[in-house]
Amino acid sequence: MEQFYTIQGEGYNTGRAAYFIRLGGCDVGCVWCDVKESWDAAAHPRQSTAQLVEAVLAHPGRDVVITGGEPLMHNLDELTAALQAAGCHTWLETSGAHPLSGTWDWVCLSPKKFKAPLPEVLAAAHELKVVVFNDHDFAWAEEHAALVPATTRLYLQPEWSRAARMTPALVDYVKQHPRWQVSLQTHKYLDIP
């Protein structure tokens, strides 16, 4: 769908320069999705793996985020192998609702209520990032925290349109449950893609 060089705005790698490759196609259908234009894969031009790697290498950063839409709707073996062969680190952002493909240096799992994550993706998660839209999401976050490895970093992130309402509750929750950390969409505060 799009690609751009920016600063990672969320989760464990916040603040690091990263090249984003946003793939078209998503069947999860979050009502609060901020990139609904990504849902229809056919609406976006296809590019070869070589074209994508060439675009990444035009920038100095070597951290590459594959996101969507839902990137695991695609087989990512060839793309991640080519990126890693070119000296890049591959980071995945996924709902986990499709089979895991590709070779990853970092997996950020952000499960959605509309389509459950698969056990294989839960097991591979380096980071669990739960978007908090309402108070019920804290219990839902804990359910998923029980399914990931003990080494997985745990993040709660207020949904952007509800941040004013949910951030105080999120801060209180993290203070009471310190194994969790707060994640903010810092790229939105910085007004960058």
Side-chain angles (χ1 to χ4, degrees), residues 74-137:
H74 307 276
N75 184 313
L76 300 174
D77 294 340
E78 179 184 326
L79 177 58
T80 57
L83 287 167
Q84 290 180 343
C88 297
H89 302 112
T90 54
W91 300 348
L92 175 66
E93 291 188 358
T94 180
S95 70
H98 290 271
L100 188 63
S101 62
T103 304
W104 302 102
D105 296 297
W106 191 260
V107 174
C108 173
L109 171 61
S110 185
K112 306 300 187 281
K113 292 181 178 177
F114 316 105
K115 200 163 187 181
L118 299 176
E120 67 193 79
V121 185
L122 288 159
H126 297 97
E127 169 182 353
L128 176 68
K129 183 177 64 187
V130 176
V131 176
V132 177
F133 186 80
N134 59 48
D135 292 326
H136 302 290
D137 291 332

Coordinates of all heavy atoms in Angstrom, one line a residue, residues 74-137:
H74 N -0.1 -12.4 3.6 CA 0.9 -12.7 2.5 C 2.0 -13.6 3.1 O 2.3 -13.5 4.3 CB 1.5 -11.4 2.1 CG 0.6 -10.3 1.7 ND1 0.0 -10.2 0.4 CD2 0.0 -9.3 2.4 CE1 -0.9 -9.2 0.4 NE2 -0.8 -8.6 1.5
N75 N 2.5 -14.4 2.2 CA 3.7 -15.2 2.6 C 4.9 -14.2 2.6 O 5.3 -13.7 1.5 CB 3.9 -16.4 1.6 CG 5.1 -17.2 2.1 OD1 6.1 -16.8 2.4 ND2 4.8 -18.5 2.1
L76 N 5.6 -14.1 3.7 CA 6.6 -13.1 3.9 C 8.0 -13.7 3.9 O 9.0 -13.0 4.2 CB 6.4 -12.3 5.1 CG 5.0 -11.5 5.0 CD1 4.7 -10.8 6.4 CD2 5.0 -10.5 3.9
D77 N 8.1 -15.0 3.5 CA 9.4 -15.7 3.5 C 10.4 -15.0 2.6 O 11.6 -14.7 3.1 CB 9.3 -17.2 3.1 CG 8.5 -18.0 4.1 OD1 8.3 -17.6 5.3 OD2 8.0 -19.0 3.7
E78 N 10.1 -14.8 1.4 CA 11.0 -14.2 0.4 C 11.4 -12.8 0.8 O 12.6 -12.4 0.7 CB 10.4 -14.2 -1.0 CG 11.3 -13.6 -2.1 CD 10.6 -13.6 -3.4 OE1 9.7 -14.4 -3.7 OE2 10.8 -12.6 -4.2
L79 N 10.4 -12.0 1.2 CA 10.7 -10.6 1.5 C 11.7 -10.5 2.7 O 12.7 -9.8 2.7 CB 9.4 -9.8 1.8 CG 9.6 -8.4 2.2 CD1 10.4 -7.6 1.2 CD2 8.2 -7.7 2.5
T80 N 11.4 -11.2 3.8 CA 12.3 -11.1 5.0 C 13.7 -11.7 4.7 O 14.7 -11.1 5.2 CB 11.6 -11.8 6.2 OG1 11.3 -13.1 5.9 CG2 10.4 -11.0 6.6
A81 N 13.7 -12.7 3.9 CA 15.0 -13.3 3.6 C 15.9 -12.3 2.8 O 17.1 -12.1 3.1 CB 14.9 -14.6 2.8
A82 N 15.2 -11.6 1.8 CA 16.0 -10.6 1.0 C 16.4 -9.4 1.9 O 17.5 -8.9 1.7 CB 15.1 -10.2 -0.2
L83 N 15.5 -9.0 2.7 CA 15.9 -7.9 3.6 C 17.0 -8.2 4.5 O 18.0 -7.4 4.7 CB 14.7 -7.4 4.4 CG 13.6 -6.7 3.6 CD1 12.3 -6.6 4.4 CD2 14.1 -5.3 3.2
Q84 N 17.0 -9.4 5.1 CA 18.0 -9.8 6.0 C 19.3 -10.0 5.3 O 20.4 -9.7 5.8 CB 17.6 -11.0 6.9 CG 16.5 -10.7 7.9 CD 16.1 -11.8 8.7 OE1 16.3 -13.0 8.4 NE2 15.4 -11.5 9.8
A85 N 19.3 -10.5 4.1 CA 20.5 -10.7 3.3 C 21.1 -9.4 2.9 O 22.3 -9.3 2.7 CB 20.2 -11.5 2.0
A86 N 20.3 -8.3 2.9 CA 20.8 -7.0 2.6 C 21.2 -6.2 3.9 O 21.6 -5.1 3.8 CB 19.7 -6.2 1.9
G87 N 21.2 -6.9 5.0 CA 21.7 -6.4 6.3 C 20.7 -5.7 7.1 O 21.0 -4.9 8.0
C88 N 19.4 -5.9 6.8 CA 18.3 -5.3 7.5 C 17.8 -6.1 8.7 O 17.9 -7.4 8.6 CB 17.1 -5.0 6.6 SG 17.6 -3.8 5.3
H89 N 17.2 -5.5 9.7 CA 16.5 -6.2 10.7 C 15.0 -6.1 10.4 O 14.5 -5.1 10.0 CB 16.7 -5.5 12.1 CG 18.1 -5.4 12.5 ND1 18.8 -4.2 12.5 CD2 19.0 -6.4 12.8 CE1 20.0 -4.4 12.9 NE2 20.2 -5.7 13.0
T90 N 14.3 -7.2 10.5 CA 12.9 -7.3 10.1 C 12.0 -7.3 11.4 O 12.2 -8.2 12.3 CB 12.7 -8.6 9.3 OG1 13.1 -9.7 10.0 CG2 13.4 -8.4 7.9
W91 N 11.1 -6.4 11.4 CA 10.2 -6.3 12.5 C 8.8 -6.4 12.0 O 8.4 -5.8 10.9 CB 10.2 -4.9 13.2 CG 11.6 -4.5 13.7 CD1 12.6 -5.3 14.0 CD2 11.9 -3.2 14.2 NE1 13.7 -4.6 14.5 CE2 13.3 -3.3 14.7 CE3 11.3 -1.9 14.2 CZ2 14.0 -2.2 15.2 CZ3 12.0 -0.8 14.7 CH2 13.3 -1.0 15.2
L92 N 8.0 -7.2 12.6 CA 6.6 -7.5 12.2 C 5.6 -6.9 13.1 O 5.8 -7.0 14.3 CB 6.3 -9.0 12.1 CG 4.9 -9.5 11.8 CD1 4.5 -9.1 10.4 CD2 4.8 -11.0 12.1
E93 N 4.6 -6.2 12.6 CA 3.4 -5.8 13.4 C 2.2 -6.5 12.8 O 1.8 -6.3 11.7 CB 3.3 -4.3 13.2 CG 4.4 -3.5 13.9 CD 4.1 -2.0 14.0 OE1 3.1 -1.5 13.4 OE2 5.0 -1.3 14.5
T94 N 1.6 -7.3 13.7 CA 0.5 -8.2 13.2 C -0.6 -8.4 14.3 O -0.3 -8.3 15.5 CB 1.1 -9.6 12.8 OG1 0.0 -10.4 12.4 CG2 1.8 -10.3 14.0
S95 N -1.8 -8.7 13.8 CA -2.9 -9.1 14.7 C -2.7 -10.6 15.1 O -3.3 -11.0 16.0 CB -4.2 -8.9 14.0 OG -4.4 -9.8 13.0
G96 N -1.9 -11.3 14.3 CA -1.7 -12.7 14.6 C -2.7 -13.6 14.1 O -2.7 -14.8 14.4
A97 N -3.7 -13.1 13.3 CA -4.8 -13.9 12.9 C -4.5 -14.8 11.7 O -5.4 -15.6 11.3 CB -6.0 -12.9 12.5
H98 N -3.3 -14.8 11.1 CA -3.0 -15.6 10.0 C -1.7 -16.3 10.3 O -0.9 -15.9 11.1 CB -2.8 -14.8 8.7 CG -4.1 -14.2 8.2 ND1 -4.9 -14.9 7.3 CD2 -4.8 -13.1 8.5 CE1 -6.0 -14.2 7.1 NE2 -6.0 -13.1 7.8
P99 N -1.4 -17.4 9.6 CA -0.2 -18.2 9.9 C 1.1 -17.4 9.7 O 1.2 -16.5 8.8 CB -0.3 -19.3 8.8 CG -1.7 -19.5 8.5 CD -2.3 -18.1 8.6
L100 N 2.0 -17.7 10.6 CA 3.3 -16.9 10.6 C 4.1 -17.4 9.5 O 4.3 -18.6 9.2 CB 4.0 -17.2 12.0 CG 5.2 -16.4 12.3 CD1 4.9 -14.9 12.4 CD2 5.9 -16.9 13.6
S101 N 4.6 -16.4 8.7 CA 5.6 -16.7 7.7 C 6.7 -15.6 7.8 O 6.5 -14.6 8.5 CB 5.0 -16.6 6.3 OG 4.4 -15.3 6.0
G102 N 7.8 -15.8 7.2 CA 8.9 -14.9 7.3 C 9.9 -15.2 8.4 O 9.5 -16.1 9.3
T103 N 11.0 -14.6 8.4 CA 12.0 -14.7 9.5 C 12.1 -13.3 10.2 O 12.4 -12.3 9.5 CB 13.4 -15.2 8.9 OG1 13.2 -16.4 8.2 CG2 14.4 -15.4 10.0
W104 N 12.0 -13.3 11.5 CA 11.8 -12.0 12.2 C 12.8 -11.8 13.3 O 13.1 -12.7 14.1 CB 10.4 -12.0 12.8 CG 9.3 -12.1 11.7 CD1 8.6 -13.3 11.4 CD2 9.0 -11.2 10.7 NE1 7.8 -13.1 10.3 CE2 8.0 -11.8 9.9 CE3 9.3 -9.8 10.5 CZ2 7.4 -11.1 8.8 CZ3 8.8 -9.2 9.4 CH2 7.8 -9.8 8.6
D105 N 13.3 -10.6 13.3 CA 14.1 -10.1 14.5 C 13.2 -9.6 15.6 O 13.7 -9.7 16.8 CB 15.1 -9.0 14.0 CG 16.0 -9.5 13.0 OD1 16.8 -10.4 13.3 OD2 16.0 -9.0 11.8
W106 N 12.0 -9.2 15.3 CA 11.1 -8.7 16.3 C 9.7 -8.9 15.9 O 9.3 -8.5 14.7 CB 11.4 -7.2 16.6 CG 10.6 -6.7 17.8 CD1 9.5 -6.0 17.9 CD2 11.1 -6.9 19.2 NE1 9.1 -5.8 19.2 CE2 10.1 -6.3 20.0 CE3 12.2 -7.5 19.8 CZ2 10.2 -6.3 21.4 CZ3 12.3 -7.5 21.2 CH2 11.3 -6.9 22.0
V107 N 8.8 -9.5 16.7 CA 7.4 -9.7 16.4 C 6.6 -8.9 17.4 O 6.7 -9.2 18.6 CB 7.0 -11.2 16.4 CG1 5.5 -11.3 16.2 CG2 7.8 -11.9 15.3
C108 N 5.9 -7.9 16.9 CA 4.9 -7.2 17.8 C 3.5 -7.7 17.4 O 3.0 -7.6 16.3 CB 5.0 -5.7 17.5 SG 3.7 -4.8 18.3
L109 N 2.9 -8.4 18.4 CA 1.6 -8.9 18.3 C 0.6 -7.9 18.9 O 0.7 -7.6 20.1 CB 1.5 -10.3 19.0 CG 0.1 -10.9 19.1 CD1 -0.5 -11.1 17.7 CD2 0.1 -12.2 19.9
S110 N -0.3 -7.5 18.1 CA -1.4 -6.6 18.6 C -2.7 -7.3 18.3 O -3.3 -7.0 17.2 CB -1.3 -5.2 17.9 OG -2.3 -4.3 18.5
P111 N -3.2 -8.2 19.2 CA -4.4 -8.9 18.9 C -5.6 -8.1 18.8 O -5.7 -7.1 19.5 CB -4.4 -9.9 20.1 CG -3.7 -9.3 21.1 CD -2.7 -8.4 20.5
K112 N -6.6 -8.5 18.0 CA -7.8 -7.8 17.9 C -9.0 -8.7 18.2 O -8.9 -9.9 18.0 CB -8.0 -7.3 16.4 CG -6.8 -6.4 15.9 CD -6.6 -5.2 16.8 CE -5.6 -4.2 16.2 NZ -4.2 -4.6 16.5
K113 N -10.0 -8.1 18.8 CA -11.2 -8.9 19.3 C -11.9 -9.6 18.1 O -12.7 -10.5 18.3 CB -12.1 -8.1 20.1 CG -11.5 -7.7 21.4 CD -12.5 -6.8 22.2 CE -11.9 -6.5 23.5 NZ -12.8 -5.6 24.3
F114 N -11.8 -9.0 16.9 CA -12.6 -9.4 15.8 C -12.1 -10.7 15.1 O -12.8 -11.3 14.4 CB -12.6 -8.3 14.7 CG -12.8 -6.9 15.4 CD1 -11.8 -6.0 15.6 CD2 -14.1 -6.6 15.9 CE1 -12.0 -4.8 16.2 CE2 -14.3 -5.4 16.5 CZ -13.2 -4.5 16.7
K115 N -10.8 -11.1 15.4 CA -10.3 -12.3 14.8 C -9.1 -12.7 15.7 O -8.1 -12.0 15.8 CB -9.8 -12.1 13.4 CG -9.7 -13.3 12.6 CD -9.7 -13.0 11.1 CE -9.7 -14.3 10.3 NZ -9.7 -14.1 8.9
A116 N -9.2 -13.9 16.4 CA -8.2 -14.3 17.4 C -6.9 -14.6 16.8 O -6.7 -15.1 15.7 CB -8.7 -15.5 18.1
P117 N -5.8 -14.3 17.6 CA -4.4 -14.7 17.1 C -4.2 -16.2 17.2 O -4.8 -16.8 18.1 CB -3.5 -13.9 18.1 CG -4.3 -13.7 19.3 CD -5.8 -13.6 18.9
L118 N -3.4 -16.7 16.3 CA -3.1 -18.1 16.2 C -2.0 -18.4 17.3 O -1.2 -17.6 17.6 CB -2.6 -18.5 14.8 CG -3.6 -18.3 13.7 CD1 -2.9 -18.6 12.4 CD2 -4.8 -19.1 13.9
P119 N -2.1 -19.6 17.8 CA -1.1 -20.0 18.9 C 0.4 -19.8 18.4 O 1.2 -19.4 19.2 CB -1.4 -21.5 19.1 CG -2.9 -21.6 18.8 CD -3.1 -20.7 17.6
E120 N 0.7 -20.1 17.1 CA 2.1 -20.0 16.7 C 2.5 -18.6 16.7 O 3.7 -18.3 16.9 CB 2.2 -20.6 15.3 CG 1.4 -19.7 14.2 CD 1.3 -20.4 12.9 OE1 0.4 -21.3 12.8 OE2 2.1 -20.1 12.0
V121 N 1.7 -17.6 16.5 CA 2.0 -16.2 16.5 C 2.2 -15.7 18.0 O 3.1 -15.0 18.4 CB 1.1 -15.3 15.8 CG1 1.6 -13.9 15.7 CG2 0.9 -15.8 14.3
L122 N 1.3 -16.2 18.9 CA 1.4 -15.9 20.3 C 2.7 -16.4 20.8 O 3.4 -15.7 21.5 CB 0.2 -16.6 21.1 CG -1.2 -16.0 20.9 CD1 -2.2 -17.0 21.3 CD2 -1.3 -14.7 21.8
A123 N 3.2 -17.6 20.4 CA 4.4 -18.1 20.9 C 5.6 -17.4 20.4 O 6.7 -17.4 21.0 CB 4.5 -19.6 20.4
A124 N 5.5 -16.7 19.2 CA 6.6 -16.0 18.6 C 6.7 -14.5 19.1 O 7.7 -13.9 18.7 CB 6.5 -16.1 17.1
A125 N 5.8 -14.0 19.8 CA 5.7 -12.6 20.1 C 6.8 -12.2 21.1 O 7.0 -12.7 22.2 CB 4.3 -12.3 20.8
H126 N 7.6 -11.2 20.6 CA 8.5 -10.5 21.5 C 7.8 -9.4 22.3 O 8.3 -9.0 23.4 CB 9.6 -9.8 20.7 CG 10.5 -10.8 19.9 ND1 10.2 -11.1 18.6 CD2 11.5 -11.6 20.3 CE1 11.1 -12.0 18.1 NE2 11.9 -12.3 19.2
E127 N 6.7 -8.9 21.7 CA 6.0 -7.8 22.3 C 4.5 -8.0 22.1 O 4.1 -8.4 21.0 CB 6.4 -6.5 21.5 CG 5.7 -5.3 21.8 CD 6.2 -4.1 20.9 OE1 7.2 -4.2 20.3 OE2 5.5 -3.1 21.0
L128 N 3.7 -7.8 23.2 CA 2.3 -7.9 23.1 C 1.8 -6.4 23.3 O 2.1 -5.9 24.4 CB 1.7 -8.8 24.2 CG 0.2 -8.8 24.3 CD1 -0.4 -9.5 23.0 CD2 -0.3 -9.6 25.5
K129 N 1.2 -5.9 22.3 CA 0.7 -4.5 22.4 C -0.8 -4.5 22.2 O -1.3 -4.8 21.2 CB 1.3 -3.6 21.3 CG 1.0 -2.2 21.4 CD 1.7 -1.4 20.3 CE 1.3 -1.8 18.9 NZ 2.0 -1.2 17.8
V130 N -1.5 -4.2 23.3 CA -3.0 -4.2 23.3 C -3.5 -2.8 23.3 O -3.2 -2.0 24.1 CB -3.5 -5.0 24.6 CG1 -5.0 -4.9 24.6 CG2 -3.0 -6.4 24.6
V131 N -4.3 -2.5 22.3 CA -5.0 -1.2 22.1 C -6.2 -1.2 23.1 O -7.0 -2.1 23.1 CB -5.4 -1.0 20.7 CG1 -6.2 0.3 20.5 CG2 -4.2 -1.0 19.7
V132 N -6.2 -0.2 23.9 CA -7.3 0.0 24.9 C -8.3 1.0 24.4 O -8.0 2.2 24.3 CB -6.7 0.4 26.3 CG1 -7.8 0.6 27.3 CG2 -5.7 -0.6 26.8
F133 N -9.5 0.5 24.1 CA -10.6 1.3 23.6 C -11.6 1.5 24.8 O -12.2 2.6 24.8 CB -11.3 0.6 22.5 CG -12.3 1.4 21.8 CD1 -12.0 2.4 20.9 CD2 -13.7 1.2 22.0 CE1 -13.0 3.2 20.3 CE2 -14.7 1.9 21.4 CZ -14.3 2.9 20.5
N134 N -11.8 0.6 25.7 CA -12.7 0.7 26.8 C -12.2 -0.1 28.0 O -11.2 -0.8 27.9 CB -14.1 0.3 26.4 CG -14.2 -1.1 26.0 OD1 -13.6 -2.0 26.6 ND2 -14.8 -1.4 24.8
D135 N -12.8 0.0 29.1 CA -12.4 -0.6 30.3 C -12.3 -2.1 30.3 O -11.5 -2.7 31.0 CB -13.3 -0.1 31.5 CG -13.1 1.3 31.8 OD1 -12.0 1.9 31.7 OD2 -14.1 2.0 32.2
H136 N -13.1 -2.7 29.4 CA -13.1 -4.2 29.3 C -11.8 -4.7 28.7 O -11.5 -5.9 28.8 CB -14.3 -4.7 28.5 CG -15.6 -4.2 29.0 ND1 -16.2 -4.8 30.2 CD2 -16.5 -3.3 28.6 CE1 -17.3 -4.2 30.4 NE2 -17.6 -3.3 29.5
D137 N -11.1 -3.8 28.0 CA -9.9 -4.2 27.3 C -8.8 -4.6 28.3 O -7.8 -5.4 27.9 CB -9.4 -3.2 26.3 CG -10.4 -3.0 25.2 OD1 -11.0 -4.0 24.8 OD2 -10.4 -1.9 24.6

